[in-house]
Amino acid sequence: MTTLSDVASAVGVSVSAVSRVLNDAPGTRVSEETRQRILETARQMDYRPNHSARSLRLQRTAVLACVLPDLTNALFSELVEGAEDAARERGYTLLLSRAEGMHDLDDTLARLLGEGRVDGAIVQMPDGLEPESLDSLVHDALPVVFLHAAHPRRTGSVMLDDAAAARTATDHLLALGHERIAFVGGLAGSPSARRREEGFREAMAQAGHAVDEKLVTRFGYRISDADSALAVLAEAQPRPTALVVANMNAGMAALGAARRMKWSVPEDLSVVAVHDAWPAAMTWPPLTTVRMPLRSLGRAAVECLIERLQVGTAADRLLSNESPQLIRRASTSAIEG
Amino acid sequence: MTTLSDVASAVGVSVSAVSRVLNDAPGTRVSEETRQRILETARQMDYRPNHSARSLRLQRTAVLACVLPDLTNALFSELVEGAEDAARERGYTLLLSRAEGMHDLDDTLARLLGEGRVDGAIVQMPDGLEPESLDSLVHDALPVVFLHAAHPRRTGSVMLDDAAAARTATDHLLALGHERIAFVGGLAGSPSARRREEGFREAMAQAGHAVDEKLVTRFGYRISDADSALAVLAEAQPRPTALVVANMNAGMAALGAARRMKWSVPEDLSVVAVHDAWPAAMTWPPLTTVRMPLRSLGRAAVECLIERLQVGTAADRLLSNESPQLIRRASTSAIEG
DNA sequence: GGAGTGGGTCCGCTTGCTTAT
DNA sequence: GATAAGCAAGCGGACCCACTC
């Protein structure tokens, strides 16, 4: 590895001269000729600043972490791309990490933040855990921005307009003539799941339809949760004619569960889910979804985090300027279609 | 951030004593009492070694990178878990990174390896690129292990038994009575795709069936590639009755393409794909697959890389002790079923 | 002379201050 | 007094080499 002093001795100048030229430091006084020789030599020797040394000296790494419960979830693809783009533009590198449970998250944040590997972190809590439970780690104003959920005693979180998305989904079913609509929700503890349920209720209320509480389930987003949900809904009398599922993966699972129960989609049951990614087009029937601005969410998270790093604090952000957008596929149809 | 010297002055000993005790350095001579006081104080003060400082001093980071073309591909889930497990056991941290194209990869490796952010990297080349094209970066024995493809002039790669997987898939179709079997392959440049095609040909030859070259396509694994492949296959006279698809995602896409072409699966066309992950169970009909030991591949990659780091060189590995396993779902059926 | 400590250097880089034209 | 440089400290930790009973 080529170091600054390798370059310096090759050119025949001091280390500081090389450092200043390569960093284009303000107020650098170096003759144009020396400057060119330094730049040229550094290029020839393929000099690259050592990240550890620079971080140690500057007390900052220019690295941000993005800690997610499951990296292979297709929904994270856009989110991460948005975050990476924003980070790059601001001179940061994004580091991806996975933390499935609370223990993992605790551990991961301790390693990343505690050992000074990164300057800050964007965190999506694993399903079923609430930001409050992270209290031990958050007590001393750690530079952390939460995705989808605000921490009760800390600022710095970015959220989507979940209520609007659920309203869009529900309105779509209402427009198709459905009235007996079920809501397949996330776990009761999840803030975003709660917001989606509220949006569902608002849309129903606005249309003048009562919500049958037997048609509201909160099992979560795993594949097996869909079986539980559909089993409950099949017991209802009369059965619902349509489902708003709070999450795309859960929506895909719901299609599978319905098929196992010989419940035809969309003939006997229309299904629409919140969130969109390519797998939704691969199911049968292709799943109608509501697209959320995940790329923007990723960008906003990075910007919020950097603001927090620079100013010391950052306001919570609710992304409501891009409306959730209905992606009509084949899993929904008019009630008498 | 608590530093070594904070702990040292709190205990009233020297920095070196604290360092030795906390690292459990060999030959450390510290009284049991001092040792306990140091450990206790460090715990109380929540001391964590600064990663940059330690890396700078030791000239190693204890971090390995895993660079993949698309992190949200469900196939990478198990791979990454296996790699993370192995890394953790050996005292390393795994860092995940995405590199879609050659330029990205070049850039990423320069940042990771060149700036000393990681000690080594596991790399899966983006589709359509071959290891040879990485020559510029690999010239000076960079500590890199390739997934799925060997570099012609360097050791250090881990591969699955792709031929065996394709044979298993093909044998399944043959056992169901199919004879006119098509192969939907990856790009011609991909080594693993080539090995799968060979496996297909071997199985066909062994069964005494000629391969109709019109039934072999090599468009790649993207969704749109499946449309191209199926369009070609639909032209063949007579049409094939079954498909071996070289990749699970491509297999899912093939189901979609077949449906758009009104080609019923499995009645008129059986489909089996290489690789297995949960989305395969969500398609309609659920996709029959051949499961590969991806978790072991991840482990092997890390072990290979660490060996390379310690010994300076490491042999290529072909994982052939765990046989590819057929996961029978509903997309394949007997020819006259 | 071994058991228990502390001092000091260096890893590569940035930057305030100094020096020599 | 500008202009063009160099010196040296120190970020936090590891480890060799003292030093003292």
Side-chain angles (χ1 to χ4, degrees):
Chain A
M1 244 180 40
T2 315
T3 72
L4 267 191
S5 79
D6 292 338
V7 178
S9 54
V11 179
V13 294
S14 71
V15 171
S16 46
V18 180
S19 172
R20 276 192 265 252
V21 167
L22 294 181
N23 286 322
D24 211 7
T28 302
R29 312 196 169 293
V30 177
S31 67
E32 191 50 30
E33 195 227 320
T34 313
R35 154 182 234 88
Q36 289 306 330
R37 272 176 42 228
I38 290 174
L39 289 171
E40 176 59 17
T41 309
R43 215 184 44 70
Q44 276 179 12
M45 298 177 79
D46 197 30
Y47 168 77
R48 279 170 217 284
N50 181 282
H51 178 249
S52 299
R54 174 173 269 176
S55 302
L56 179 59
R57 174 67 233 242
L58 295 179
Q59 298 289 79
R60 65 183 282 274
T61 61
V63 178
L64 304 178
C66 183
V67 186
L68 301 172
D70 167 23
L71 288 175
T72 61
N73 188 324
L75 293 175
F76 291 140
S77 194
E78 273 188 62
L79 174 81
V80 168
E81 283 172 25
E84 276 184 348
D85 288 348
R88 193 175 326 110
E89 286 167 21
R90 312 288 294 263
Y92 282 85
T93 300
L94 196 74
L95 180 158
L96 268 20
S97 190
R98 190 175 60 100
E100 273 177 296
M102 193 56 210
H103 183 69
D104 282 0
L105 184 56
D106 223 90
D107 233 57
T108 303
L109 288 180
R111 292 175 61 80
L112 294 177
L113 260 6
E115 298 181 6
R117 289 168 192 258
V118 302
D119 296 337
I122 294 165
V123 172
Q124 171 160 349
M125 300 293 295
D127 269 3
L129 292 173
E130 306 170 48
E132 294 95 275
S133 59
L134 206 68
D135 229 31
S136 58
L137 275 168
V138 174
H139 65 293
D140 46 10
L142 241 37
V144 170
V145 166
F146 292 103
L147 286 177
H148 298 304
H151 188 279
R153 284 185 303 295
R154 276 184 71 252
T155 61
S157 66
V158 290
M159 287 166 288
L160 292 170
D161 196 345
D162 296 290
R167 279 199 305 270
T168 300
T170 312
D171 286 344
H172 169 58
L173 296 174
L174 290 166
L176 290 172
H178 294 274
E179 298 185 358
R180 202 158 162 72
I181 304 176
F183 181 79
V184 176
L187 295 168
S190 158
S192 62
R194 279 199 294 256
R195 294 195 298 273
R196 286 173 203 171
E197 186 178 325
E198 273 167 40
F200 164 70
R201 289 179 186 280
E202 285 166 24
M204 289 294 275
Q206 194 164 358
H209 299 302
V211 170
D212 181 346
E213 295 302 327
K214 290 197 206 67
L215 297 189
V216 175
T217 67
R218 301 186 191 87
F219 289 102
Y221 299 150
R222 292 169 311 173
I223 296 180
S224 59
D225 298 332
D227 290 305
S228 313
L230 277 262
V232 166
L233 297 179
E235 292 299 311
Q237 286 301 337
R239 285 186 170 191
T241 65
L243 254 51
V244 173
V245 184
N247 173 276
M248 184 196 77
N249 291 310
M252 292 171 63
L255 291 181
R259 189 160 44 233
R260 280 189 289 279
M261 299 173 67
K262 315 286 183 203
W263 205 343
S264 319
V265 177
E267 292 78 9
D268 303 330
L269 184 72
S270 282
V271 178
V272 55
V274 174
H275 273 322
D276 184 70
W278 70 267
M282 298 285 110
T283 59
W284 186 249
L287 183 63
T288 295
T289 60
V290 175
R291 183 171 169 69
M292 305 277 277
L294 286 169
R295 189 177 302 270
S296 301
L297 184 72
R299 293 196 77 88
V302 165
E303 280 155 15
C304 184
L305 183 53
I306 292 179
E307 189 180 323
R308 203 167 172 329
L309 253 25
Q310 290 175 345
V311 185
T313 179
D316 290 349
R317 302 179 193 200
L318 175 67
L319 271 68
S320 54
N321 47 344
E322 293 171 70
S323 298
Q325 191 190 342
L326 184 79
I327 310 283
R328 177 86 196 263
R329 296 202 182 87
S331 66
T332 48
S333 67
I335 186 129
E336 290 169 346
Chain B
M1 243 179 40
T2 314
T3 71
L4 267 191
S5 75
D6 293 337
V7 177
S9 53
V11 179
V13 294
S14 71
V15 171
S16 41
V18 180
S19 173
R20 277 187 294 238
V21 168
L22 293 182
N23 286 322
D24 211 8
T28 302
R29 290 172 311 222
V30 177
S31 67
E32 191 50 31
E33 195 227 319
T34 311
R35 158 183 231 86
Q36 289 307 328
R37 273 175 43 226
I38 289 174
L39 288 171
E40 176 58 18
T41 308
R43 215 183 44 69
Q44 276 178 12
M45 299 178 75
D46 197 32
Y47 168 77
R48 281 170 215 284
N50 181 283
H51 178 249
S52 300
R54 175 173 266 174
S55 302
L56 177 59
R57 175 68 236 243
L58 296 178
Q59 298 288 81
R60 66 183 282 273
T61 61
V63 178
L64 305 177
C66 183
V67 187
L68 301 172
D70 167 22
L71 288 175
T72 62
N73 188 324
L75 293 174
F76 291 141
S77 194
E78 274 189 61
L79 174 81
V80 168
E81 282 172 26
E84 276 185 348
D85 288 347
R88 193 175 326 110
E89 285 167 23
R90 311 288 295 262
Y92 283 84
T93 300
L94 195 74
L95 180 158
L96 268 22
S97 192
R98 191 175 59 99
E100 273 175 298
M102 194 55 208
H103 184 69
D104 282 359
L105 184 55
D106 224 89
D107 233 55
T108 302
L109 288 180
R111 295 175 58 80
L112 294 176
L113 260 7
E115 298 180 6
R117 289 168 193 258
V118 303
D119 296 338
I122 295 164
V123 172
Q124 172 161 347
M125 300 295 295
D127 269 4
L129 292 173
E130 305 172 48
E132 296 96 273
S133 57
L134 205 68
D135 229 31
S136 59
L137 274 169
V138 175
H139 65 293
D140 47 9
L142 239 36
V144 169
V145 165
F146 292 104
L147 286 177
H148 299 302
H151 188 278
R153 283 185 305 295
R154 274 184 72 252
T155 63
S157 67
V158 290
M159 286 166 286
L160 292 169
D161 196 343
D162 295 289
R167 280 199 304 271
T168 300
T170 311
D171 286 343
H172 168 58
L173 296 173
L174 291 165
L176 289 172
H178 293 276
E179 298 185 357
R180 197 150 169 78
I181 304 176
F183 182 79
V184 177
L187 295 169
S190 158
S192 62
R194 277 199 294 255
R195 293 195 299 273
R196 287 173 202 170
E197 184 177 329
E198 273 168 38
F200 163 73
R201 289 179 186 279
E202 285 165 26
M204 290 294 276
Q206 195 165 357
H209 298 302
V211 170
D212 181 346
E213 296 302 329
K214 290 197 208 67
L215 296 189
V216 175
T217 67
R218 300 184 192 88
F219 289 102
Y221 299 151
R222 292 169 311 172
I223 296 181
S224 58
D225 297 332
D227 289 306
S228 313
L230 277 263
V232 168
L233 298 179
E235 292 299 310
Q237 288 302 336
R239 285 186 169 192
T241 65
L243 253 52
V244 172
V245 185
N247 174 275
M248 185 197 76
N249 291 310
M252 291 171 63
L255 291 181
R259 189 162 43 235
R260 279 189 288 279
M261 299 172 67
K262 316 285 182 201
W263 205 343
S264 318
V265 177
E267 293 77 9
D268 301 331
L269 184 72
S270 284
V271 178
V272 54
V274 173
H275 273 323
D276 185 69
W278 70 268
M282 298 284 110
T283 57
W284 187 249
L287 183 63
T288 295
T289 59
V290 175
R291 182 172 170 68
M292 306 277 279
L294 285 170
R295 189 176 304 269
S296 301
L297 184 72
R299 292 198 77 88
V302 165
E303 280 155 16
C304 185
L305 183 53
I306 292 180
E307 188 179 325
R308 202 162 174 332
L309 253 25
Q310 289 174 346
V311 186
T313 179
D316 290 349
R317 301 179 194 201
L318 176 67
L319 269 68
S320 54
N321 46 344
E322 293 169 71
S323 298
Q325 190 191 343
L326 185 80
I327 309 282
R328 177 85 195 263
R329 295 201 183 87
S331 66
T332 49
S333 68
I335 185 134
E336 288 168 349

